Amino acid sequence: MAGAYGERFRPQYHFSPPRNWMNDPHGLIWRGGRYHLYYQYHPHSCRWGPMHWGHAVSEDLLHWRHLPIALWPDEIGTIFTGDVVAAETGAPPLPATGELAAVYSYDDQSVGLAASVDGGCRWRKYAGNPVIASPGGNFRDPKVRWHPESERWLMAIAQEQSVQFYQSADLREWRRCGEFRAPTAGDDPWEVPDFFPIGAGEERRWVLLVSVPNAPAGGGGVRYFIGHCDGAQFHSEIGPETECWLDYGPDNYAGSTWKYLPGGHRVYIGWLNNWRYAEALPTVGWRGALTIPRELRLEHTAAGPRLLQQPIAELHSLRGEAISLPAQTIAPGANPLANRRMRCGEISLVIEARAADSISLSLFNGDTGGAEICYNCQRQELCLARAPSASLPIHEEYAVAVNAPLPLRGGKLSLRILLDHSSVEVFADGGRAVMSARVFPEASADGLSLCATGGAAWLASGALWPLQSTWRGVER
Ligand code: FRU
């Protein structure tokens, strides 16, 4: 595809910046029928640098319109990750009669405040900034929610390897009121917390997300805790011995959820990247992309509450004509996908493992640079492996194989996979295990293969859909 968003490796239905560098998505709100997305943006380079807030809006979380930069660096510093809140029923009016307030980190690790009176496009910074002075060290990425029971704004902010909680009546004066810690490997600081209620009635819980170093795939990942929030503190029901990860792939970091969605939905989006090699990705003129937005749901299991993730339902609207695969035996050596091709689309498979030792699906088959998803029936583990790309050396830590525990339910492996030119996202077993990764296949690599080893498996159902681009005609 020529023109805007037609460059090599450019995702066609995922968000990526018009040009130059992006990292964390943040300030995610739904307002006046539009989803707002702000993000860490360097408008002058494809490498991380002085941070601004990029801004885009959408009516369906898939077709985005780029808007001018929302927040610029000022005399205090550059603008790191933060949050946006709207005037709330029962809450005192927002500062500067704004209908929206942004609460964000400066690069010096102090916290700033800004108000918007035009629905989130233009912002006026608060004259009394910073509202929280830097305590020294790592202290950043505030998330703010109105807590009706305590009639206070509650802020979660990452500090070294903890999340600190602050309360405020007016978003200007903040008082520290609690902290949350859990064992983590490594010395790097926690970043980008998010906290929100999920579920209804007796089953309602609070979730705390935090981006932490040393995730199972190496580098950073998003860990979650589920429990209760009393307006000053978060208490986890998941014990310190259990690590729950939103994603077992290498590329899902610094994500957050949208606020104020109708119908109590919780939709998450993450940065489809990993700081270990983020600046080495082989794209030209733009760098960085986001995961597909994902609906989060709570499931109460025998082991305790857990999060499930599925791509948002709106994704169905991008599907072209389905190719259905007939139910069939997958004998060792056979490939039911032999004549199928895909670079931008969706695959859904339900496979009974039966006599197979392993079941593998290769994606972006070509000379180099593709990926393989492999289920090991004995170990009950899903593995995602990225092949190194001979012509595009990326980084020594890029080409890794990563695993997710995946016990088969009813002997069935169910996979939903999204491919978008330079990404793979796997939602296994209804979103109980998720893996996300960037991949950089050769331009012509579009083959697929599905194989069983050790014995035959049974393909109970399967379908492939091409997905339409959401970026045609977008101005940059
Ligand atoms: C996470 C992060 C945040 C910080 C921002 C800077 O990726 O390091 O902690 O606010 O990126 O761009």
Side-chain angles (χ1 to χ4, degrees):
M1 180 184 141
Y5 281 79
E7 305 97 324
R8 187 160 184 214
F9 301 129
R10 190 62 113 152
Q12 291 302 305
Y13 60 95
H14 286 74
F15 185 86
S16 58
R19 55 185 81 82
N20 293 319
W21 168 273
M22 85 172 296
N23 54 291
D24 317 359
H26 48 63
L28 309 174
I29 57 159
W30 189 79
R31 249 343 238 178
R34 299 197 303 183
Y35 298 89
H36 288 259
L37 165 69
Y38 301 89
Y39 56 93
Q40 289 287 278
Y41 186 44
H42 186 190
H44 308 301
S45 159
C46 284
R47 301 186 88 91
W48 188 85
M51 284 290 111
H52 299 55
W53 275 26
H55 186 197
V57 288
S58 169
E59 284 171 17
D60 64 359
L61 290 169
L62 295 168
H63 297 81
W64 292 96
R65 189 150 64 85
H66 295 300
L67 293 177
I69 288 174
L71 286 177
W72 295 75
D74 58 35
E75 60 287 353
I76 301 178
T78 64
I79 317 295
F80 273 20
T81 290
D83 202 8
V84 172
V85 293
E88 295 254 4
T89 322
L94 295 181
T97 66
E99 48 184 58
L100 294 176
V103 182
Y104 54 87
S105 282
Y106 282 105
D107 60 326
D108 73 353
Q109 317 288 293
S110 63
V111 177
L113 177 65
S116 171
V117 286
D118 73 347
C121 292
R122 281 174 299 147
W123 294 86
R124 196 172 323 119
K125 306 245 180 70
Y126 174 53
N129 276 341
V131 289
I132 304 181
S134 166
N138 293 291
F139 178 76
R140 59 177 176 270
D141 309 335
K143 276 292 176 333
V144 178
R145 269 182 188 279
W146 177 249
H147 191 263
E149 293 82 5
S150 59
E151 299 191 337
R152 289 281 179 277
W153 294 101
L154 184 62
M155 173 195 290
I157 187 163
Q159 182 172 30
E160 304 305 341
Q161 294 185 328
S162 76
V163 175
Q164 300 293 319
F165 288 92
Y166 284 69
Q167 279 178 334
S168 172
D170 60 4
L171 299 175
R172 284 174 250 199
E173 291 200 13
W174 291 94
R175 187 180 65 83
R176 187 176 163 277
C177 57
E179 76 168 12
F180 178 79
R181 291 178 181 275
T184 339
D187 301 324
D188 292 333
W190 290 11
E191 298 182 313
V192 195
D194 190 12
F195 69 116
F196 49 88
I198 193 167
E202 293 271 287
E203 309 221 311
R204 185 176 194 259
R205 294 288 190 280
W206 281 78
V207 173
L208 177 67
L209 303 180
V210 62
S211 287
V212 303
N214 293 85
V222 181
R223 193 167 163 189
Y224 71 83
F225 303 88
I226 301 180
H228 301 274
C229 174
D230 59 13
Q233 277 276 28
F234 172 83
H235 309 272
S236 181
E237 246 174 72
I238 297 175
E241 66 293 344
T242 306
E243 290 187 5
C244 293
W245 298 94
L246 209 56
D247 205 303
Y248 287 87
D251 293 320
N252 181 353
Y253 192 69
S256 296
T257 58
W258 266 275
K259 284 199 186 79
Y260 313 127
L261 296 191
H265 292 286
R266 286 286 161 222
V267 175
Y268 168 93
I269 195 165
W271 183 41
L272 191 53
N273 219 332
N274 191 314
W275 275 116
R276 290 195 172 176
Y277 44 73
E279 292 199 333
L281 299 190
T283 56
V284 177
W286 63 282
R287 196 175 268 142
L290 299 181
T291 66
I292 200 72
R294 298 153 183 207
E295 169 107 36
L296 301 182
R297 281 193 300 118
L298 187 64
E299 181 178 55
H300 290 277
T301 73
R306 296 289 184 271
L307 289 180
L308 303 188
Q309 282 167 84
Q310 281 290 351
I312 47 164
E314 289 85 343
L315 192 66
H316 292 309
S317 69
L318 304 183
R319 285 179 175 173
E321 205 176 319
I323 296 170
S324 297
L325 305 171
Q328 60 194 285
T329 299
I330 314 173
N335 173 15
L337 297 178
N339 299 315
R340 308 291 170 199
R341 319 235 152 269
M342 182 178 287
R343 282 184 72 87
C344 179
E346 180 178 342
I347 303 172
S348 167
L349 300 170
V350 178
I351 299 169
E352 291 176 20
R354 297 200 177 171
D357 292 335
S358 75
I359 298 157
S360 63
L361 174 67
S362 315
L363 307 162
F364 299 111
N365 285 349
D367 291 344
T368 58
E372 185 183 64
I373 298 164
C374 183
Y375 188 72
N376 183 313
C377 304
Q378 211 196 347
R379 290 212 300 269
Q380 306 250 308
E381 248 177 24
L382 191 67
C383 173
L384 172 71
R386 301 185 283 191
S389 176
S391 59
L392 289 169
I394 292 171
H395 191 271
E396 59 192 14
E397 298 198 74
Y398 165 81
V400 287
V402 293
N403 297 303
L406 185 65
L408 288 192
R409 292 190 310 147
K412 288 193 180 131
L413 173 66
S414 110
L415 300 173
R416 188 167 169 203
I417 297 150
L418 303 180
L419 303 188
D420 194 359
H421 291 275
S422 60
S423 65
V424 177
E425 288 161 284
V426 185
F427 297 83
D429 192 18
R432 289 177 182 81
V434 176
M435 297 174 112
S436 309
R438 292 301 297 271
V439 292
F440 296 96
E442 298 295 320
S444 58
D446 60 0
L448 299 170
S449 69
L450 177 62
C451 305
T453 62
W458 172 252
L459 177 62
S461 66
L464 277 61
W465 295 265
L467 293 176
Q468 280 161 27
S469 173
T470 56
W471 294 99
R472 296 226 158 105
V474 166
E475 284 169 33
R476 288 193 289 168

mmCIF file of all heavy atoms in Angstrom, residues 335-361:
data_model
loop_
_atom_site.group_PDB
_atom_site.id
_atom_site.type_symbol
_atom_site.label_atom_id
_atom_site.label_comp_id
_atom_site.label_asym_id
_atom_site.label_seq_id
_atom_site.Cartn_x
_atom_site.Cartn_y
_atom_site.Cartn_z
ATOM 1 N N ASN A 335 0.101 -30.294 6.550
ATOM 2 C CA ASN A 335 -0.041 -28.872 6.870
ATOM 3 C C ASN A 335 -1.369 -28.352 6.319
ATOM 4 O O ASN A 335 -1.460 -27.966 5.157
ATOM 5 C CB ASN A 335 1.120 -28.063 6.277
ATOM 6 C CG ASN A 335 0.901 -26.556 6.441
ATOM 7 O OD1 ASN A 335 0.043 -26.132 7.217
ATOM 8 N ND2 ASN A 335 1.658 -25.761 5.695
ATOM 9 N N PRO A 336 -2.404 -28.329 7.151
ATOM 10 C CA PRO A 336 -3.716 -27.870 6.662
ATOM 11 C C PRO A 336 -3.728 -26.417 6.196
ATOM 12 O O PRO A 336 -4.697 -25.985 5.595
ATOM 13 C CB PRO A 336 -4.637 -28.031 7.885
ATOM 14 C CG PRO A 336 -3.881 -28.789 8.903
ATOM 15 C CD PRO A 336 -2.430 -28.735 8.561
ATOM 16 N N LEU A 337 -2.664 -25.669 6.470
ATOM 17 C CA LEU A 337 -2.642 -24.264 6.030
ATOM 18 C C LEU A 337 -1.686 -24.056 4.851
ATOM 19 O O LEU A 337 -1.295 -22.923 4.556
ATOM 20 C CB LEU A 337 -2.227 -23.346 7.191
ATOM 21 C CG LEU A 337 -3.169 -23.334 8.398
ATOM 22 C CD1 LEU A 337 -2.627 -22.429 9.500
ATOM 23 C CD2 LEU A 337 -4.550 -22.845 7.977
ATOM 24 N N ALA A 338 -1.348 -25.168 4.171
ATOM 25 C CA ALA A 338 -0.287 -25.100 3.151
ATOM 26 C C ALA A 338 -0.501 -24.001 2.116
ATOM 27 O O ALA A 338 0.454 -23.341 1.717
ATOM 28 C CB ALA A 338 -0.167 -26.455 2.463
ATOM 29 N N ASN A 339 -1.721 -23.757 1.683
ATOM 30 C CA ASN A 339 -1.905 -22.760 0.615
ATOM 31 C C ASN A 339 -2.418 -21.426 1.116
ATOM 32 O O ASN A 339 -2.865 -20.610 0.329
ATOM 33 C CB ASN A 339 -2.873 -23.304 -0.439
ATOM 34 C CG ASN A 339 -2.299 -24.567 -1.039
ATOM 35 O OD1 ASN A 339 -1.104 -24.592 -1.370
ATOM 36 N ND2 ASN A 339 -3.104 -25.613 -1.101
ATOM 37 N N ARG A 340 -2.379 -21.232 2.391
ATOM 38 C CA ARG A 340 -2.916 -19.987 2.947
ATOM 39 C C ARG A 340 -1.807 -18.970 3.163
ATOM 40 O O ARG A 340 -0.677 -19.336 3.489
ATOM 41 C CB ARG A 340 -3.594 -20.248 4.298
ATOM 42 C CG ARG A 340 -4.615 -21.346 4.248
ATOM 43 C CD ARG A 340 -5.812 -20.927 3.447
ATOM 44 N NE ARG A 340 -6.697 -22.051 3.203
ATOM 45 C CZ ARG A 340 -7.616 -22.077 2.253
ATOM 46 N NH1 ARG A 340 -7.731 -21.079 1.415
ATOM 47 N NH2 ARG A 340 -8.386 -23.108 2.102
ATOM 48 N N ARG A 341 -2.176 -17.701 3.015
ATOM 49 C CA ARG A 341 -1.198 -16.617 3.189
ATOM 50 C C ARG A 341 -1.793 -15.552 4.096
ATOM 51 O O ARG A 341 -2.987 -15.290 4.040
ATOM 52 C CB ARG A 341 -0.887 -15.914 1.861
ATOM 53 C CG ARG A 341 -0.746 -16.792 0.663
ATOM 54 C CD ARG A 341 0.616 -16.511 -0.001
ATOM 55 N NE ARG A 341 1.102 -17.665 -0.692
ATOM 56 C CZ ARG A 341 1.892 -18.613 -0.177
ATOM 57 N NH1 ARG A 341 2.310 -18.554 1.064
ATOM 58 N NH2 ARG A 341 2.279 -19.627 -0.883
ATOM 59 N N MET A 342 -0.973 -14.936 4.897
ATOM 60 C CA MET A 342 -1.489 -13.845 5.738
ATOM 61 C C MET A 342 -0.365 -12.961 6.240
ATOM 62 O O MET A 342 0.654 -13.454 6.723
ATOM 63 C CB MET A 342 -2.244 -14.412 6.944
ATOM 64 C CG MET A 342 -2.836 -13.313 7.801
ATOM 65 S SD MET A 342 -3.772 -13.954 9.189
ATOM 66 C CE MET A 342 -5.227 -14.563 8.368
ATOM 67 N N ARG A 343 -0.595 -11.633 6.124
ATOM 68 C CA ARG A 343 0.291 -10.669 6.798
ATOM 69 C C ARG A 343 -0.511 -9.756 7.710
ATOM 70 O O ARG A 343 0.027 -9.167 8.637
ATOM 71 C CB ARG A 343 1.074 -9.828 5.778
ATOM 72 C CG ARG A 343 2.249 -10.583 5.191
ATOM 73 C CD ARG A 343 3.065 -9.726 4.282
ATOM 74 N NE ARG A 343 3.856 -8.725 4.974
ATOM 75 C CZ ARG A 343 5.067 -8.923 5.464
ATOM 76 N NH1 ARG A 343 5.648 -10.107 5.373
ATOM 77 N NH2 ARG A 343 5.720 -7.944 6.044
ATOM 78 N N CYS A 344 -1.801 -9.624 7.434
ATOM 79 C CA CYS A 344 -2.621 -8.696 8.206
ATOM 80 C C CYS A 344 -3.984 -9.349 8.371
ATOM 81 O O CYS A 344 -4.803 -9.288 7.449
ATOM 82 C CB CYS A 344 -2.721 -7.380 7.436
ATOM 83 S SG CYS A 344 -3.710 -6.127 8.236
ATOM 84 N N GLY A 345 -4.215 -10.011 9.490
ATOM 85 C CA GLY A 345 -5.481 -10.709 9.634
ATOM 86 C C GLY A 345 -5.591 -11.421 10.960
ATOM 87 O O GLY A 345 -4.803 -11.196 11.885
ATOM 88 N N GLU A 346 -6.596 -12.280 11.009
ATOM 89 C CA GLU A 346 -6.941 -12.956 12.257
ATOM 90 C C GLU A 346 -7.091 -14.445 11.988
ATOM 91 O O GLU A 346 -7.633 -14.835 10.950
ATOM 92 C CB GLU A 346 -8.261 -12.353 12.739
ATOM 93 C CG GLU A 346 -8.762 -12.929 14.015
ATOM 94 C CD GLU A 346 -10.054 -12.249 14.473
ATOM 95 O OE1 GLU A 346 -10.384 -11.137 13.999
ATOM 96 O OE2 GLU A 346 -10.735 -12.843 15.310
ATOM 97 N N ILE A 347 -6.634 -15.254 12.921
ATOM 98 C CA ILE A 347 -6.737 -16.709 12.793
ATOM 99 C C ILE A 347 -7.403 -17.227 14.062
ATOM 100 O O ILE A 347 -7.013 -16.830 15.171
ATOM 101 C CB ILE A 347 -5.335 -17.350 12.692
ATOM 102 C CG1 ILE A 347 -4.559 -16.761 11.515
ATOM 103 C CG2 ILE A 347 -5.431 -18.878 12.574
ATOM 104 C CD1 ILE A 347 -3.097 -17.207 11.457
ATOM 105 N N SER A 348 -8.375 -18.110 13.892
ATOM 106 C CA SER A 348 -8.994 -18.717 15.069
ATOM 107 C C SER A 348 -8.938 -20.230 14.898
ATOM 108 O O SER A 348 -9.346 -20.750 13.856
ATOM 109 C CB SER A 348 -10.431 -18.202 15.146
ATOM 110 O OG SER A 348 -11.136 -18.955 16.065
ATOM 111 N N LEU A 349 -8.420 -20.932 15.893
ATOM 112 C CA LEU A 349 -8.261 -22.384 15.794
ATOM 113 C C LEU A 349 -8.697 -23.041 17.101
ATOM 114 O O LEU A 349 -8.374 -22.533 18.185
ATOM 115 C CB LEU A 349 -6.782 -22.755 15.580
ATOM 116 C CG LEU A 349 -6.074 -22.215 14.333
ATOM 117 C CD1 LEU A 349 -4.585 -22.494 14.431
ATOM 118 C CD2 LEU A 349 -6.659 -22.821 13.058
ATOM 119 N N VAL A 350 -9.425 -24.153 16.967
ATOM 120 C CA VAL A 350 -9.676 -24.995 18.135
ATOM 121 C C VAL A 350 -9.149 -26.380 17.775
ATOM 122 O O VAL A 350 -9.592 -26.978 16.787
ATOM 123 C CB VAL A 350 -11.171 -25.050 18.501
ATOM 124 C CG1 VAL A 350 -11.390 -25.981 19.690
ATOM 125 C CG2 VAL A 350 -11.693 -23.649 18.812
ATOM 126 N N ILE A 351 -8.173 -26.846 18.543
ATOM 127 C CA ILE A 351 -7.482 -28.091 18.201
ATOM 128 C C ILE A 351 -7.550 -29.045 19.387
ATOM 129 O O ILE A 351 -7.245 -28.645 20.524
ATOM 130 C CB ILE A 351 -6.005 -27.790 17.844
ATOM 131 C CG1 ILE A 351 -5.952 -26.854 16.629
ATOM 132 C CG2 ILE A 351 -5.225 -29.076 17.577
ATOM 133 C CD1 ILE A 351 -4.575 -26.283 16.359
ATOM 134 N N GLU A 352 -7.947 -30.278 19.103
ATOM 135 C CA GLU A 352 -7.876 -31.308 20.165
ATOM 136 C C GLU A 352 -6.496 -31.941 20.072
ATOM 137 O O GLU A 352 -6.104 -32.428 19.000
ATOM 138 C CB GLU A 352 -8.968 -32.353 19.957
ATOM 139 C CG GLU A 352 -10.340 -31.771 20.215
ATOM 140 C CD GLU A 352 -11.453 -32.754 19.918
ATOM 141 O OE1 GLU A 352 -11.189 -33.980 19.869
ATOM 142 O OE2 GLU A 352 -12.583 -32.284 19.725
ATOM 143 N N ALA A 353 -5.793 -31.964 21.171
ATOM 144 C CA ALA A 353 -4.391 -32.414 21.125
ATOM 145 C C ALA A 353 -4.289 -33.912 20.804
ATOM 146 O O ALA A 353 -3.362 -34.349 20.126
ATOM 147 C CB ALA A 353 -3.713 -32.102 22.451
ATOM 148 N N ARG A 354 -5.222 -34.723 21.303
ATOM 149 C CA ARG A 354 -5.244 -36.181 21.075
ATOM 150 C C ARG A 354 -3.868 -36.818 21.238
ATOM 151 O O ARG A 354 -3.285 -36.712 22.298
ATOM 152 C CB ARG A 354 -5.876 -36.485 19.719
ATOM 153 C CG ARG A 354 -7.346 -36.009 19.703
ATOM 154 C CD ARG A 354 -8.169 -36.670 18.638
ATOM 155 N NE ARG A 354 -9.538 -36.219 18.752
ATOM 156 C CZ ARG A 354 -10.482 -36.470 17.868
ATOM 157 N NH1 ARG A 354 -10.218 -37.162 16.783
ATOM 158 N NH2 ARG A 354 -11.716 -36.037 18.065
ATOM 159 N N ALA A 355 -3.302 -37.422 20.154
ATOM 160 C CA ALA A 355 -2.041 -38.167 20.319
ATOM 161 C C ALA A 355 -0.796 -37.300 20.109
ATOM 162 O O ALA A 355 0.330 -37.798 20.179
ATOM 163 C CB ALA A 355 -2.021 -39.335 19.327
ATOM 164 N N ALA A 356 -0.984 -36.019 19.827
ATOM 165 C CA ALA A 356 0.185 -35.186 19.490
ATOM 166 C C ALA A 356 1.035 -34.871 20.725
ATOM 167 O O ALA A 356 0.508 -34.751 21.833
ATOM 168 C CB ALA A 356 -0.288 -33.889 18.845
ATOM 169 N N ASP A 357 2.334 -34.753 20.499
ATOM 170 C CA ASP A 357 3.228 -34.264 21.558
ATOM 171 C C ASP A 357 3.272 -32.742 21.533
ATOM 172 O O ASP A 357 3.417 -32.085 22.548
ATOM 173 C CB ASP A 357 4.674 -34.742 21.333
ATOM 174 C CG ASP A 357 4.789 -36.230 21.510
ATOM 175 O OD1 ASP A 357 3.944 -36.793 22.230
ATOM 176 O OD2 ASP A 357 5.715 -36.816 20.905
ATOM 177 N N SER A 358 3.226 -32.217 20.292
ATOM 178 C CA SER A 358 3.244 -30.759 20.168
ATOM 179 C C SER A 358 2.457 -30.349 18.928
ATOM 180 O O SER A 358 2.305 -31.131 17.983
ATOM 181 C CB SER A 358 4.675 -30.230 20.095
ATOM 182 O OG SER A 358 5.205 -30.492 18.824
ATOM 183 N N ILE A 359 1.968 -29.117 18.997
ATOM 184 C CA ILE A 359 1.207 -28.563 17.870
ATOM 185 C C ILE A 359 1.833 -27.206 17.590
ATOM 186 O O ILE A 359 1.975 -26.396 18.515
ATOM 187 C CB ILE A 359 -0.278 -28.383 18.256
ATOM 188 C CG1 ILE A 359 -0.874 -29.753 18.595
ATOM 189 C CG2 ILE A 359 -1.062 -27.688 17.156
ATOM 190 C CD1 ILE A 359 -2.076 -29.696 19.477
ATOM 191 N N SER A 360 2.226 -26.978 16.336
ATOM 192 C CA SER A 360 2.865 -25.684 16.096
ATOM 193 C C SER A 360 2.285 -24.977 14.888
ATOM 194 O O SER A 360 1.843 -25.599 13.927
ATOM 195 C CB SER A 360 4.375 -25.823 15.988
ATOM 196 O OG SER A 360 4.673 -26.623 14.896
ATOM 197 N N LEU A 361 2.284 -23.673 15.010
ATOM 198 C CA LEU A 361 1.749 -22.807 13.965
ATOM 199 C C LEU A 361 2.843 -21.821 13.607
ATOM 200 O O LEU A 361 3.296 -21.054 14.459
ATOM 201 C CB LEU A 361 0.528 -22.056 14.531
ATOM 202 C CG LEU A 361 -0.106 -21.001 13.655
ATOM 203 C CD1 LEU A 361 -0.761 -21.636 12.422
ATOM 204 C CD2 LEU A 361 -1.182 -20.241 14.452
#
